[in-house]
């Protein structure tokens, strides 16, 4: 197995560049697959996030979950609301709070998004065998959800 001492700064730099290129390619392919749905990748992420809540979330909840400024959420909600995919509803216990609720059109869009995301993933993963996909899944899990650091 490769030890940290065996890696060179150049090999780590090359790996970082490959990851950046893959990220750009992922965004490009995802955007192509989302275009027929009539939604941007950012709107897609917001719509999926709204769907994960048990009850309609507040804009502040969405901003925190998405790790963006509230103004960014407002713009995304404006676009989704214009398309009839979400609606702003008053909080039943606090009239000053506005919640974001999925509409039937929003739920239908989520179904379309699942198909578009599967197609985009298949485009990206097409060159890999099943075994390679399994290995990649393990590696990505290690990078995305790293184990807690061990103390001395």
């Amino acid at each position: 197995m490769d030890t940290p001492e065996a890696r060179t700064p150049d090999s780590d730099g090359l790996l970082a560049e490959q990851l950046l290129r893959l990220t750009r390619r992922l965004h490009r392919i995802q955007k192509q697959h989302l275009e027929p749905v009539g939604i941007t990748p950012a709107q897609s992420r917001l719509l999926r996030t709204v769907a994960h809540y048990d009850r309609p979330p507040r804009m502040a909840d969405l901003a925190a979950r998405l790790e963006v400024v509230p103004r960014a959420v407002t713009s995304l909600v404006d676009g989704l609301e214009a398309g009839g995919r979400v609606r702003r509803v008053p909080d039943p216990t606090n009239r000053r709070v506005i919640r974001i609720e999925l509409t039937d059109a929003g739920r239908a869009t989520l179904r379309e998004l699942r198909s578009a995301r599967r197609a985009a993933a298949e485009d990206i993963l097409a060159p890999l065998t099943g075994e390679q996909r399994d290995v990649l899944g393990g590696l990505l899990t290690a990078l995305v959800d790293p184990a807690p650091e061990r103390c001395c």
Side-chain angles (χ1 to χ4, degrees), residues 53-129:
Y53 282 89
D54 292 335
R55 65 184 194 134
R58 298 173 309 138
M59 300 266 257
D61 299 330
L62 293 169
R65 175 81 60 98
L66 294 170
E67 298 178 345
V68 298
V69 297
R71 178 70 190 122
V73 171
T74 300
S75 298
L76 292 171
V77 168
D78 288 347
L80 289 169
E81 189 173 40
R85 292 178 172 107
V86 298
R87 67 178 148 253
R88 288 171 166 92
V89 294
D91 184 285
T93 61
N94 183 344
R95 292 183 309 166
R96 293 176 294 169
V97 173
I98 299 296
R99 295 189 174 271
I100 307 305
E101 181 177 79
L102 284 176
T103 63
D104 289 341
R107 284 185 275 283
T109 300
L110 281 170
R111 288 189 293 276
E112 290 180 71
L113 288 174
R114 283 186 203 98
S115 295
R117 290 183 75 196
R118 275 193 298 275
E122 186 54 44
D123 281 358
I124 289 288
L125 299 173
L128 303 180
T129 66

